[in-house]
Amino acid sequence: LSFSRKTKRGKEIVYVQSILNECIKLLRASIPVTVEIEIEIDEDTLPIEAYPTQIHQVIIYLCTNAAQAMEDTGGTLGIRLNNSGSPSEDRGAHPVNCVSLTVEDTGTGIPADQQERIFEPYFTTKEVGKGTGIGLSVVHGIVKNHGGWIDLESEPGRGTRVSVMLPATRKQAADTERADDEIITGRGTVLLIDDEVSVVKMGTVMLE
């Protein structure tokens, strides 16, 4: 659906900072202690019109990739969220306020000859058994589907920075909170299947 843009559900007015705070709690439980997380969130960041679960995916994929690049050496995972100005003229876009999400690491980096292909489906720089090449291509598809763009800067041995820009909106989110006395109950079993171990671990933490 991310690639084909055939998602039919309506977008919602969401605050990325709320989703990011939720993701950080999950990431802390799954990222090795040798990786330090540095966070800079502007709580006045404007809302965007988006599919909340897809924005959650983008954050988790980018942060998980960054952490994996530092598995052997440790390092720092930097996450920054704020408002940004208009896009540059060379993008051919009209001026618009944007929300900027930046994820950077101090890991192994990506060789220059591989950077142009990094968002292609099934292209991966990881060894067999550690990646399918789907994660970043899904991120790219989601960002494009939201009218945004994504930039990558990397240097072998010095880390990688991925910047996501998403158009902001001045609309206000609807109040969707449930009444305090409304309790959702149920019994059942959840079966979670994925060929990425990291996705299964993260999904398990989320569900639990």
Side-chain angles (χ1 to χ4, degrees):
L1 290 176
S2 298
F3 299 141
S4 65
R5 300 188 182 184
K6 291 182 179 178
T7 305
K8 294 183 179 180
R9 293 175 296 112
K11 293 179 181 177
E12 303 172 20
I13 307 300
V14 299
Y15 290 88
V16 180
Q17 54 267 47
S18 297
I19 300 175
L20 181 54
N21 282 323
E22 178 185 338
C23 289
I24 289 170
K25 293 177 184 178
L26 299 172
L27 289 165
R28 287 193 187 279
S30 61
I31 288 179
V33 294
T34 54
V35 175
E36 180 183 356
I37 304 178
E38 293 184 352
I39 306 158
E40 184 180 328
I41 300 177
D42 181 357
E43 293 299 338
D44 292 325
T45 300
L46 294 169
I48 63 174
E49 289 191 69
Y51 302 110
T53 54
Q54 291 189 357
I55 300 303
H56 194 284
Q57 273 184 290
V58 167
I59 296 170
I60 293 298
Y61 272 132
L62 291 180
C63 292
T64 300
N65 266 0
Q68 287 176 343
M70 300 179 285
E71 278 182 334
D72 297 330
T73 60
T76 302
L77 168 61
I79 307 170
R80 189 166 61 253
L81 179 73
N82 52 37
N83 294 319
S84 181
S86 304
S88 57
E89 294 181 1
D90 60 356
R91 293 186 182 279
H94 55 79
V96 62
N97 289 323
C98 293
V99 170
S100 172
L101 170 68
T102 302
V103 176
E104 54 188 327
D105 63 71
T106 56
T108 54
I110 304 169
D113 61 339
Q114 296 181 0
Q115 292 181 25
E116 290 186 0
R117 300 189 59 198
I118 203 67
F119 296 112
E120 292 180 12
Y122 306 112
F123 177 80
T124 178
T125 59
K126 300 172 187 175
E127 59 188 81
V128 175
K130 290 197 172 183
T132 60
I134 287 294
L136 285 177
S137 57
V138 168
V139 167
H140 187 268
I142 290 173
V143 172
K144 290 295 184 182
N145 192 32
H146 284 78
W149 67 89
I150 183 168
D151 287 329
L152 180 142
E153 301 173 48
S154 185
E155 186 176 340
R158 304 195 64 174
T160 300
R161 177 189 293 115
V162 179
S163 301
V164 172
M165 302 288 282
L166 297 167
T169 180
R170 292 290 179 177
K171 296 179 182 178
Q172 297 296 315
D175 185 2
T176 57
E177 292 186 4
R178 298 193 304 271
D180 291 339
D181 59 351
E182 182 184 352
I183 301 175
I184 297 176
T185 62
R187 295 177 61 85
T189 301
V190 176
L191 175 63
L192 176 63
I193 303 175
D194 200 284
D195 59 355
E196 284 274 14
V197 175
S198 59
V199 174
V200 172
K201 288 181 178 179
M202 182 60 66
T204 301
V205 172
M206 292 169 61
L207 292 170
E208 290 176 345

